Amino acid sequence: MEPNELEDRDRTRRYVLAGIVVALGVLTAGILLEVLGTILFALTAAYVLIPVQKWLVRRGFTEWTGAVGATVVGFVVVVAVFSPIAATLYFRLDEIIGFLEAIPPEVPITAFDVTYTVDVAEVQGLAIDFLTTSAIALASSLPVLAIKFALFVILLFALVLKGEAAARAAVAPVPHEYRDVVYALAKRARETLYAIYVLQLATSVVTLIIAYPLFWALGYDIPFTLALLAAILQFVPIIGPSLLIVPIAIYHVVAGELVAAVLVAVLGIALVAWFPDVGVRPRLARRSAGLPGSLYFVGFTGGLFTLGAIGIVVGPLIVAVFVEAVDLLADEVNDDTDVSDLLEPDLEHGDRGDELVTDTEASYEESPSRAADD
């Protein structure tokens, strides 16, 4: 058999196997639909923790113990992030509801000597119902959440341990001339996940550390709960903790406490909403994808509304990979062509049009009828 025929047969075999893997993957995803969010969370977390495992291996750990160490790091981080949220809903629910109930049902707003009354009772009721329903749902789903968390830890360990082999298997069917595209997309995905997990998490931790003493010093009854909400809102791009600070300031204005409103607005925006982005983010952003805030916001909101909580990660990730694919296509089509070079044909066409107009005017001026009219 000719070498070319053997090569074509091997390539066809790889494509067939890749098609089988994709088909089985789709079938598996349909069967595991209820835990698909957990699987995606484990996949993205493992992608970030694989460098931790490699760092441990370089320090003398084996592949297996390094994977255990990286999994422990992921386990501790997840527990540290989600346990305060669950504890707040369980132990501080009455205080949060009491704070919401203390808001006046009607808010008078005066503008141009005209007073308008805003009815906030309906929004107040919706917020209280949402918190109550969320707490009940959390309590009733604790056994399922425990099983999903155990699945997450097991998957995380397996993916960290065998991540390199899985990556090689995924890239193997791709022709060599297209592997640079795969590597570019993988690099953008890694940078985006670093920005979401490491950079956003560090910014949220700093927000919590700053917000708690601030709210305590300002005399709030639930300073830790408010600080935790500010830290969670740090994951919301662009607006972030301002979603918490602004309503609190408005509440003080409505209650006639102008000094408290100014203090919480100025100090909250400057220290809680602004300083973590300025003080922490630039120091950690060198390995991030540099995705514009507007696109990050689109991915965040779209993923959240479409996929739920896991969409907070998957949405920006998909947008970032899409942007990278567009950049690759633009580089492939335009190469090193400048914008002026792309517009040059239009400019030449415009020059020819001007020349045509000039020639027409000259011919008109030189025509016998034009001379007779003059």
Side-chain angles (χ1 to χ4, degrees):
M1 186 176 292
E2 295 294 331
N4 291 336
E5 293 180 359
L6 288 173
E7 184 177 352
D8 292 341
R9 189 181 68 177
D10 292 340
R11 184 183 298 110
T12 302
R13 180 180 176 82
R14 287 198 300 269
Y15 293 160
V16 171
L17 288 175
I20 293 173
V21 170
V22 171
L24 291 176
V26 172
L27 179 62
T28 304
I31 295 174
L32 302 177
L33 188 61
E34 288 298 323
V35 293
L36 191 58
T38 305
I39 295 172
L40 290 176
F41 186 33
L43 281 171
T44 55
Y47 207 58
V48 176
L49 290 173
I50 285 176
V52 177
Q53 187 244 9
K54 291 182 178 179
W55 182 84
L56 292 174
V57 170
R58 290 196 297 269
R59 296 301 184 275
F61 288 77
T62 64
E63 294 284 339
W64 193 88
T65 55
V68 171
T71 304
V72 170
V73 171
F75 173 85
V76 171
V77 170
V78 171
V79 171
V81 169
F82 289 102
S83 58
I85 301 174
T88 300
L89 284 175
Y90 186 78
F91 294 107
R92 300 281 185 174
L93 182 62
D94 293 338
E95 296 181 7
I96 298 174
I97 292 177
F99 179 80
L100 292 174
E101 289 177 344
I103 300 175
E106 295 182 351
V107 179
I109 299 176
T110 303
F112 302 105
D113 296 329
V114 179
T115 301
Y116 300 91
T117 301
V118 180
D119 186 7
V120 298
E122 184 176 354
V123 178
Q124 187 181 41
L126 289 175
I128 294 174
D129 291 341
F130 173 77
L131 288 173
T132 305
T133 305
S134 299
I136 295 174
L138 178 64
S140 61
S141 60
L142 281 178
V144 177
L145 291 176
I147 295 174
K148 288 185 177 181
F149 186 69
L151 174 63
F152 166 77
V153 174
I154 295 171
L155 278 176
L156 186 62
F157 172 75
L159 290 169
V160 170
L161 181 61
K162 298 296 183 180
E164 293 291 337
R168 286 194 297 270
V171 175
V174 180
H176 288 279
E177 59 269 21
Y178 294 104
R179 290 188 179 180
D180 59 328
V181 177
V182 176
Y183 295 144
L185 296 178
K187 180 181 178 182
R188 175 59 73 97
R190 182 174 61 252
E191 292 173 348
T192 303
L193 290 174
Y194 174 87
I196 294 172
Y197 284 124
V198 178
L199 196 144
Q200 288 292 132
L201 183 60
T203 308
S204 297
V205 171
V206 172
T207 301
L208 178 63
I209 294 173
I210 295 174
Y212 175 67
L214 175 64
F215 288 127
W216 178 83
L218 292 177
Y220 291 98
D221 295 332
I222 48 174
F224 181 78
T225 301
L226 294 176
L228 181 62
L229 290 175
I232 295 172
L233 289 173
Q234 192 63 250
F235 281 87
V236 181
I238 301 177
I239 47 181
S242 301
L243 286 172
L244 175 67
I245 303 298
V246 172
I248 293 177
I250 294 175
Y251 168 77
H252 286 299
V253 171
V254 172
E257 303 168 350
L258 297 182
V259 176
V262 172
L263 283 176
V264 74
V266 174
L267 296 178
I269 295 296
L271 298 179
V272 178
W274 179 75
F275 178 75
D277 284 330
V278 176
V280 177
R281 195 176 297 273
R283 299 177 183 274
L284 300 175
R286 65 183 185 277
R287 291 181 55 190
S288 64
L291 189 68
S294 57
L295 292 179
Y296 184 86
F297 185 76
V298 170
F300 178 90
T301 53
L304 179 63
F305 292 145
T306 304
L307 301 175
I310 189 62
I312 296 174
V313 176
V314 177
L317 176 62
I318 296 299
V319 171
V321 173
F322 172 72
V323 170
E324 180 66 23
V326 172
D327 290 340
L328 291 173
L329 178 60
D331 293 340
E332 186 75 19
V333 172
N334 300 324
D335 198 13
D336 296 329
T337 306
D338 295 331
V339 176
S340 58
D341 297 332
L342 294 173
L343 297 177
E344 191 172 292
D346 295 333
L347 294 175
E348 292 176 355
H349 182 272
D351 293 339
R352 288 196 298 271
D354 293 340
E355 293 174 1
L356 180 62
V357 171
T358 303
D359 294 341
T360 303
E361 291 177 348
S363 301
Y364 176 71
E365 290 175 355
E366 296 173 0
S367 63
S369 59
R370 174 65 179 169
D373 293 337
D374 294 338

